[in-house]
Amino acid sequence: MYGGRKGVGSQGGAPSAPHKAAGTNTLLTRIPEDELALVSSIADTVELRSRQILHHWRLPMEHVYFICGGLVSVSAKVDESRFVEAWLIGSEGMVGAPFVLAPDDSSPPHRRVVQVGGTALRISSAHFVTALNDLPVLRELILRYINLVLFQTSQCGACNSLHSVKQRLARWLLMGMSALNCNELPLTHAVLGQLLGIRRASVSECLEALESHGMIQNVRAAIRIVDKATLERTACPCYRLIQREYDRQIARFGISPRSPAERVL
């Protein structure tokens, strides 16, 4: 009916690779088995490579991705050759959620780049839109997720206007840690500067200050968070506000028996 793979999941036999992978994406752990089987039937499990561009700015979205591991940044274009991070996507969300609102938009804004490699369930955009009619729970979750993204981006816009670079960087590290579900972020100072729209030297200065207070460790091409509680106190209140909104929109949504332990953005 939808193209892609044929029946999977609860229809007998061993679960397919997409069906297994879905257990690591928060949105997919909260949908009924019949919806999960349908998603798995039209999905492929793909590897995400660092610096891979999933969606180019103003080019059609050919696929949507449910992230199972890794970290993707969504960037807004600010001049002819420069992009600044607008929001992050880890295993709590999906790449291409706005496509649900405007499937006929042939030139969507923003660029989506893999910052930390991992895996995802990839679905043809055309197949996904067709299947959404039979995925009411997932559709509701995606709309909630879009609400969360709208809140996050507006909050980060206000944050960038009022809070210090150190507070913003602490907030970004915490959000990256939650999205990646890992206390080590394999990102260089230069990449962090590009994501935050600040100079590399400013990033290095702030990271050295955080390290001197025992909150992080600078390791080769990565930042390791060693004292999350102190880092949370250093971050601006925006982190806790975004975390609270994630809990309201997604984490409290009906949990199925197979869902993993809850975590927050």
Side-chain angles (χ1 to χ4, degrees):
M1 179 177 179
Y2 303 105
R5 300 176 183 273
K6 293 186 178 180
V8 295
S10 60
Q11 299 177 3
S16 70
H19 200 80
K20 289 181 178 179
T24 58
N25 178 274
T26 301
L27 297 177
L28 297 182
T29 61
R30 282 158 168 75
I31 64 176
E33 281 289 347
D34 60 333
E35 291 197 16
L36 180 61
L38 175 53
V39 170
S40 300
S41 73
I42 59 175
D44 290 304
T45 303
V46 295
E47 178 184 357
L48 301 179
R49 303 180 308 276
S50 179
R51 308 310 299 164
Q52 177 184 358
I53 300 178
L54 301 181
H55 292 150
H56 288 270
W57 184 79
R58 289 300 184 191
L59 289 181
M61 286 185 183
E62 296 181 354
H63 298 92
V64 300
Y65 299 81
F66 288 89
I67 306 301
C68 301
L71 187 64
V72 176
S73 67
V74 182
S75 302
K77 190 171 186 177
V78 293
D79 59 36
E80 285 303 313
S81 59
R82 189 181 181 200
F83 288 81
V84 175
E85 178 256 327
W87 72 89
L88 294 172
I89 305 170
S91 59
E92 82 293 333
M94 67 172 292
V95 177
F99 191 77
V100 175
L101 300 179
D104 296 326
D105 185 357
S106 61
S107 56
H110 300 123
R111 184 177 71 176
R112 292 152 179 88
V113 182
V114 178
Q115 297 298 338
V116 179
T119 58
L121 293 187
R122 182 183 66 183
I123 303 173
S124 157
S125 298
H127 293 156
F128 184 63
V129 169
T130 302
L132 273 178
N133 291 327
D134 295 323
L135 298 168
V137 179
L138 182 58
R139 176 186 285 275
E140 181 181 352
L141 271 168
I142 293 173
L143 293 176
R144 285 172 172 265
Y145 177 67
I146 293 171
N147 269 341
L148 173 67
V149 169
L150 290 172
F151 178 83
Q152 178 180 323
T153 53
S154 61
Q155 191 68 38
C156 290
C159 175
N160 293 343
S161 300
L162 297 174
H163 296 140
S164 69
V165 171
K166 184 165 76 171
Q167 288 177 307
R168 290 163 50 201
L169 181 58
R171 186 246 312 155
W172 197 99
L173 292 174
L174 289 164
M175 292 175 64
M177 176 184 178
S178 293
L180 192 58
N181 201 22
C182 179
N183 68 344
E184 186 165 308
L185 303 175
L187 298 170
T188 65
H189 296 194
V191 169
L192 282 172
Q194 293 170 9
L195 291 172
L196 287 165
I198 58 179
R199 295 183 304 115
R200 181 191 182 281
S202 298
V203 171
S204 298
E205 182 181 344
C206 289
L207 288 174
E208 288 171 5
L210 296 176
E211 186 172 36
S212 69
H213 288 88
M215 289 176 262
I216 67 164
Q217 287 180 346
N218 281 294
V219 296
R220 182 177 177 81
I223 295 113
R224 182 179 299 134
I225 297 173
V226 295
D227 186 350
K228 182 183 177 185
T230 303
L231 191 63
E232 286 178 346
R233 290 193 293 270
T234 301
C236 55
C238 299
Y239 169 70
R240 290 179 290 278
L241 292 171
I242 294 170
Q243 185 182 44
R244 186 182 307 159
E245 187 65 11
Y246 172 80
D247 186 58
R248 190 176 76 88
Q249 293 286 357
I250 306 296
R252 293 179 186 173
F253 191 83
I255 309 269
S256 69
R258 57 185 166 74
S259 297
E262 288 185 22
R263 64 181 181 85
V264 293
L265 184 67

